[in-house]
Amino acid sequence: MGDSYRTFLHGDAEKNTKWRFGAPPNYDAVNKLFEEGRTKVWPPGSMEEKVQTLLKNWEVELFHTADHSQYRSMDPEKCTFSLNGRKPVTYEDFIKLGGVYNPLPQTSMPDKFKLYNPDEETAESTLEAFTTTFPRGFALEIVQAYSGPPVIVFKFRLWGYMEGPFKGHAPNGEKIELYGIGIFTLDEGEKVVKVEFFYDPANCLDLSPRALSLMKMLFQAVLS
């Protein structure tokens, strides 16, 4: 068993990992989506390939490793998260917001304008909503890496297909695509201690009219 793009799933170091859902996750579907839709194929050992692996490993641990003391990609005691220049939050506060997906649409918009209200969601309900709406998941690729450690700056592309219902909206098969800039700061042990993401609003506005009915509001909320 193994994964071509994630090294923190199967191996001697993972024998004692406490998985959130009882077993290692399976990324076969999203790996297929990634291979069919990626625009770059980075050679092994290149900076872009290393950054891509780091990002995917970080996502594995953040989503699926139940015991944060077992994290190898980042130091949860030191790590902070920031989105679009907002005030950084600690790992503990990040988790309180609902984990990986739920902090993305945090916004000061009035509740009546929120298609998706993160204040009413939990980590579990958010994960269920997104995995139902995007059953093949979101594929992620590094488009370019601008600098290496200890401060890694990179451009990423995220995409998926709305093939399931979302909050009463019927699936339409549309591709949702997002570009952004990420900055990972590593400590002397090469663990992530600072995460910053910046989303490109121009790419959000390029969505088709049907997809806008769902995802434009979600991603614009991130940018507001």
Side-chain angles (χ1 to χ4, degrees):
M1 297 177 66
D3 189 291
S4 300
Y5 310 106
R6 298 163 184 84
T7 57
F8 287 4
L9 278 177
H10 306 285
D12 291 340
E14 282 69 49
K15 287 182 178 179
N16 298 315
T17 297
K18 296 178 181 178
W19 297 107
R20 191 177 306 277
F21 302 105
N26 186 300
Y27 286 90
D28 288 350
V30 76
N31 284 346
K32 187 173 185 293
L33 179 65
F34 168 74
E35 290 168 354
E36 291 173 347
R38 60 183 169 180
T39 62
K40 307 286 185 180
V41 180
W42 300 113
S46 65
M47 183 167 67
E48 285 82 2
E49 189 265 346
K50 290 179 180 179
V51 173
Q52 191 163 265
T53 299
L54 170 63
L55 193 56
K56 291 177 187 287
N57 279 334
W58 175 75
E59 182 270 341
V60 168
E61 292 190 322
L62 208 55
F63 266 117
H64 295 284
T65 302
D67 184 353
H68 72 238
S69 69
Q70 294 183 316
Y71 286 1
R72 290 189 286 148
S73 64
M74 74 172 184
D75 185 339
E77 302 298 327
K78 300 177 183 178
C79 197
T80 62
F81 302 81
S82 176
L83 185 63
N84 289 325
R86 293 194 180 119
K87 182 180 178 180
V89 300
T90 65
Y91 168 83
E92 183 177 351
D93 288 337
F94 184 80
I95 296 302
K96 286 179 180 178
L97 289 173
V100 179
Y101 281 137
N102 214 32
L104 298 181
Q106 295 293 326
T107 176
S108 57
M109 292 175 62
D111 287 349
K112 64 180 180 179
F113 295 123
K114 296 177 181 178
L115 181 63
Y116 174 91
N117 190 344
D119 297 330
E120 298 176 353
E121 304 289 343
T122 65
E124 290 74 18
S125 67
T126 302
L127 182 61
E128 181 180 0
F130 277 87
T131 54
T132 299
T133 307
F134 302 95
R136 288 190 286 168
F138 279 105
L140 172 71
E141 73 169 337
I142 296 299
V143 178
Q144 188 172 354
Y146 302 103
S147 66
V151 180
I152 303 172
V153 181
F154 55 90
K155 182 177 182 180
F156 65 90
R157 171 176 168 252
L158 186 72
W159 73 98
Y161 290 86
M162 186 188 172
E163 297 166 324
F166 183 88
K167 302 291 185 180
H169 293 262
N172 56 30
E174 293 268 354
K175 180 170 74 172
I176 307 302
E177 189 171 40
L178 179 68
Y179 287 84
I181 297 294
I183 305 174
F184 275 15
T185 301
L186 277 56
D187 64 11
E188 61 278 1
E190 297 190 343
K191 286 190 173 184
V192 178
V193 292
K194 187 177 181 181
V195 175
E196 300 170 85
F197 284 118
F198 298 87
Y199 291 87
D200 184 350
N203 288 292
C204 296
L205 298 176
D206 284 340
L207 298 176
S208 71
R210 284 189 298 163
L212 283 174
S213 65
L214 169 63
M215 298 305 292
K216 180 180 174 182
M217 287 184 65
L218 176 59
F219 289 131
Q220 281 186 324
V222 175
L223 299 164
S224 64

